[in-house]
Short mmCIF file of all heavy atoms in Angstrom, two decimals:
data_model
loop_
_atom_site.label_atom_id
_atom_site.label_comp_id
_atom_site.label_asym_id
_atom_site.label_seq_id
_atom_site.Cartn_x
_atom_site.Cartn_y
_atom_site.Cartn_z
N VAL A 318 6.20 28.26 0.33
CA VAL A 318 7.49 28.72 -0.14
C VAL A 318 7.30 29.92 -1.05
O VAL A 318 6.25 30.10 -1.67
CB VAL A 318 8.24 27.62 -0.92
CG1 VAL A 318 8.62 26.48 0.01
CG2 VAL A 318 7.39 27.09 -2.07
N SER A 319 8.32 30.74 -1.15
CA SER A 319 8.27 31.90 -2.02
C SER A 319 9.14 31.62 -3.24
O SER A 319 10.36 31.78 -3.23
CB SER A 319 8.80 33.13 -1.27
OG SER A 319 7.97 33.43 -0.18
N VAL A 320 8.50 31.15 -4.31
CA VAL A 320 9.19 30.85 -5.56
C VAL A 320 8.33 31.36 -6.69
O VAL A 320 7.13 31.61 -6.52
CB VAL A 320 9.42 29.33 -5.73
CG1 VAL A 320 10.37 28.81 -4.67
CG2 VAL A 320 8.11 28.57 -5.68
N PRO A 321 8.91 31.52 -7.89
CA PRO A 321 8.12 32.01 -9.02
C PRO A 321 6.91 31.13 -9.29
O PRO A 321 6.96 29.92 -9.15
CB PRO A 321 9.13 31.95 -10.18
CG PRO A 321 10.46 32.07 -9.52
CD PRO A 321 10.32 31.34 -8.21
N GLU A 322 5.82 31.73 -9.70
CA GLU A 322 4.57 31.02 -9.96
C GLU A 322 4.76 29.89 -10.96
O GLU A 322 4.17 28.82 -10.81
CB GLU A 322 3.54 32.01 -10.51
CG GLU A 322 2.17 31.42 -10.77
CD GLU A 322 1.40 31.19 -9.49
OE1 GLU A 322 1.76 31.79 -8.46
OE2 GLU A 322 0.43 30.42 -9.53
N ALA A 323 5.60 30.08 -11.96
CA ALA A 323 5.79 29.07 -13.00
C ALA A 323 6.43 27.81 -12.46
O ALA A 323 6.39 26.75 -13.08
CB ALA A 323 6.66 29.65 -14.13
N PHE A 324 7.06 27.90 -11.29
CA PHE A 324 7.75 26.76 -10.72
C PHE A 324 6.79 25.81 -10.02
O PHE A 324 7.12 24.67 -9.74
CB PHE A 324 8.79 27.27 -9.71
CG PHE A 324 9.73 26.22 -9.20
CD1 PHE A 324 10.58 25.57 -10.08
CD2 PHE A 324 9.77 25.88 -7.86
CE1 PHE A 324 11.47 24.61 -9.63
CE2 PHE A 324 10.64 24.92 -7.40
CZ PHE A 324 11.50 24.28 -8.28
N LEU A 325 5.58 26.26 -9.73
CA LEU A 325 4.63 25.49 -8.95
C LEU A 325 3.67 24.70 -9.84
O LEU A 325 3.41 25.07 -10.98
CB LEU A 325 3.80 26.41 -8.05
CG LEU A 325 4.58 27.30 -7.09
CD1 LEU A 325 3.60 28.20 -6.33
CD2 LEU A 325 5.41 26.48 -6.12
N LEU A 326 3.18 23.61 -9.30
CA LEU A 326 2.11 22.87 -9.96
C LEU A 326 0.82 23.67 -9.83
O LEU A 326 0.47 24.10 -8.74
CB LEU A 326 1.93 21.50 -9.30
CG LEU A 326 0.74 20.67 -9.76
CD1 LEU A 326 0.98 20.16 -11.19
CD2 LEU A 326 0.50 19.49 -8.83
N HIS A 327 0.14 23.89 -10.93
CA HIS A 327 -1.12 24.63 -10.87
C HIS A 327 -2.23 23.68 -10.44
O HIS A 327 -2.82 22.98 -11.24
CB HIS A 327 -1.43 25.25 -12.24
CG HIS A 327 -0.49 26.35 -12.60
ND1 HIS A 327 -0.71 27.66 -12.25
CD2 HIS A 327 0.69 26.33 -13.25
CE1 HIS A 327 0.30 28.41 -12.69
NE2 HIS A 327 1.16 27.62 -13.29
N SER A 328 -2.50 23.64 -9.16
CA SER A 328 -3.47 22.71 -8.62
C SER A 328 -4.85 23.35 -8.56
O SER A 328 -5.02 24.55 -8.78
CB SER A 328 -3.05 22.26 -7.22
OG SER A 328 -3.05 23.35 -6.32
N MET A 329 -5.83 22.55 -8.22
CA MET A 329 -7.20 23.03 -8.07
C MET A 329 -7.25 24.18 -7.07
O MET A 329 -7.97 25.15 -7.24
CB MET A 329 -8.11 21.90 -7.59
CG MET A 329 -8.35 20.81 -8.61
SD MET A 329 -9.24 19.44 -7.86
CE MET A 329 -10.73 20.26 -7.31
N SER A 330 -6.49 24.04 -6.01
CA SER A 330 -6.45 25.07 -4.97
C SER A 330 -5.03 25.21 -4.47
O SER A 330 -4.44 24.24 -4.00
CB SER A 330 -7.38 24.71 -3.81
OG SER A 330 -7.17 25.60 -2.74
N ARG A 331 -4.49 26.42 -4.58
CA ARG A 331 -3.12 26.64 -4.10
C ARG A 331 -3.03 26.45 -2.60
O ARG A 331 -1.96 26.31 -2.05
CB ARG A 331 -2.68 28.06 -4.48
CG ARG A 331 -2.35 28.24 -5.93
CD ARG A 331 -1.05 27.51 -6.28
NE ARG A 331 0.03 27.97 -5.42
CZ ARG A 331 0.70 29.10 -5.60
NH1 ARG A 331 0.41 29.87 -6.63
NH2 ARG A 331 1.66 29.45 -4.77
N GLU A 332 -4.17 26.44 -1.92
CA GLU A 332 -4.16 26.29 -0.48
C GLU A 332 -4.36 24.85 -0.02
O GLU A 332 -4.23 24.57 1.15
CB GLU A 332 -5.26 27.17 0.14
CG GLU A 332 -5.10 28.65 -0.18
CD GLU A 332 -3.76 29.20 0.28
OE1 GLU A 332 -3.30 28.82 1.37
OE2 GLU A 332 -3.17 30.00 -0.46
N SER A 333 -4.66 23.93 -0.94
CA SER A 333 -5.00 22.59 -0.46
C SER A 333 -4.70 21.51 -1.48
O SER A 333 -5.57 21.11 -2.25
CB SER A 333 -6.49 22.53 -0.09
OG SER A 333 -7.29 22.88 -1.20
N ASN A 334 -3.47 21.05 -1.55
CA ASN A 334 -3.15 19.88 -2.33
C ASN A 334 -3.48 18.63 -1.52
O ASN A 334 -3.26 18.59 -0.31
CB ASN A 334 -1.67 19.85 -2.72
CG ASN A 334 -1.39 20.75 -3.91
OD1 ASN A 334 -2.16 20.79 -4.85
ND2 ASN A 334 -0.29 21.46 -3.86
N TRP A 335 -3.99 17.62 -2.18
CA TRP A 335 -4.32 16.37 -1.53
C TRP A 335 -3.05 15.64 -1.13
O TRP A 335 -2.14 15.50 -1.94
CB TRP A 335 -5.16 15.52 -2.48
CG TRP A 335 -5.65 14.23 -1.91
CD1 TRP A 335 -6.79 14.04 -1.20
CD2 TRP A 335 -5.04 12.94 -2.02
NE1 TRP A 335 -6.93 12.72 -0.85
CE2 TRP A 335 -5.86 12.02 -1.35
CE3 TRP A 335 -3.87 12.47 -2.63
CZ2 TRP A 335 -5.56 10.66 -1.26
CZ3 TRP A 335 -3.56 11.12 -2.54
CH2 TRP A 335 -4.40 10.23 -1.87
N ILE A 336 -2.96 15.17 0.10
CA ILE A 336 -1.74 14.47 0.52
C ILE A 336 -2.00 13.07 1.06
O ILE A 336 -1.07 12.29 1.21
CB ILE A 336 -0.97 15.26 1.59
CG1 ILE A 336 -1.81 15.42 2.85
CG2 ILE A 336 -0.50 16.61 1.04
CD1 ILE A 336 -0.99 15.87 4.06
N GLY A 337 -3.25 12.74 1.38
CA GLY A 337 -3.48 11.42 1.93
C GLY A 337 -4.88 11.28 2.51
O GLY A 337 -5.80 12.00 2.11
N TYR A 338 -5.01 10.40 3.48
CA TYR A 338 -6.34 10.08 3.98
C TYR A 338 -6.29 9.40 5.34
O TYR A 338 -5.24 8.95 5.81
CB TYR A 338 -7.04 9.14 2.99
CG TYR A 338 -6.27 7.86 2.71
CD1 TYR A 338 -6.41 6.74 3.53
CD2 TYR A 338 -5.40 7.77 1.63
CE1 TYR A 338 -5.70 5.58 3.29
CE2 TYR A 338 -4.69 6.62 1.37
CZ TYR A 338 -4.84 5.51 2.21
OH TYR A 338 -4.12 4.37 1.96
N VAL A 339 -7.45 9.36 5.97
CA VAL A 339 -7.67 8.57 7.17
C VAL A 339 -8.56 7.40 6.76
O VAL A 339 -9.63 7.61 6.17
CB VAL A 339 -8.36 9.38 8.29
CG1 VAL A 339 -8.62 8.49 9.52
CG2 VAL A 339 -7.51 10.59 8.66
N ALA A 340 -8.12 6.18 7.04
CA ALA A 340 -8.89 4.99 6.70
C ALA A 340 -9.29 4.25 7.97
O ALA A 340 -8.55 4.25 8.95
CB ALA A 340 -8.08 4.06 5.80
N VAL A 341 -10.45 3.63 7.95
CA VAL A 341 -10.92 2.84 9.08
C VAL A 341 -11.47 1.52 8.57
O VAL A 341 -11.87 1.41 7.40
CB VAL A 341 -12.01 3.57 9.90
CG1 VAL A 341 -11.48 4.87 10.46
CG2 VAL A 341 -13.24 3.84 9.03
N THR A 342 -11.50 0.53 9.44
CA THR A 342 -12.15 -0.72 9.08
C THR A 342 -13.66 -0.51 9.06
O THR A 342 -14.20 0.30 9.82
CB THR A 342 -11.79 -1.83 10.09
OG1 THR A 342 -11.94 -1.33 11.43
CG2 THR A 342 -10.37 -2.30 9.90
N THR A 343 -14.34 -1.20 8.19
CA THR A 343 -15.79 -1.08 8.09
C THR A 343 -16.46 -1.62 9.35
O THR A 343 -15.83 -2.36 10.13
CB THR A 343 -16.31 -1.87 6.88
OG1 THR A 343 -16.02 -3.26 7.07
CG2 THR A 343 -15.68 -1.38 5.59
N ASP A 344 -17.71 -1.27 9.54
CA ASP A 344 -18.44 -1.75 10.71
C ASP A 344 -18.47 -3.28 10.75
O ASP A 344 -18.25 -3.89 11.80
CB ASP A 344 -19.87 -1.22 10.70
CG ASP A 344 -19.94 0.27 10.96
OD1 ASP A 344 -18.95 0.83 11.49
OD2 ASP A 344 -20.97 0.89 10.64
N GLN A 345 -18.74 -3.89 9.62
CA GLN A 345 -18.85 -5.34 9.57
C GLN A 345 -17.52 -6.01 9.90
O GLN A 345 -17.47 -6.95 10.70
CB GLN A 345 -19.33 -5.79 8.19
CG GLN A 345 -19.50 -7.30 8.06
CD GLN A 345 -20.04 -7.70 6.69
OE1 GLN A 345 -20.34 -6.86 5.86
NE2 GLN A 345 -20.14 -8.99 6.45
N TYR A 346 -16.44 -5.52 9.30
CA TYR A 346 -15.13 -6.13 9.55
C TYR A 346 -14.67 -5.84 10.98
O TYR A 346 -14.06 -6.71 11.63
CB TYR A 346 -14.11 -5.59 8.54
CG TYR A 346 -12.77 -6.28 8.64
CD1 TYR A 346 -12.66 -7.66 8.47
CD2 TYR A 346 -11.61 -5.55 8.89
CE1 TYR A 346 -11.43 -8.29 8.55
CE2 TYR A 346 -10.38 -6.18 8.98
CZ TYR A 346 -10.29 -7.55 8.81
OH TYR A 346 -9.07 -8.17 8.90
#
Side-chain angles (χ1 to χ4, degrees):
V318 293
S319 297
V320 295
E322 182 75 18
F324 190 63
L325 304 177
L326 173 71
H327 291 272
S328 64
M329 291 173 59
S330 171
R331 285 290 304 280
E332 300 302 321
S333 58
N334 279 320
W335 184 87
I336 63 165
Y338 57 86
V339 178
V341 299
T342 47
T343 63
D344 290 342
Q345 181 177 356
Y346 186 59

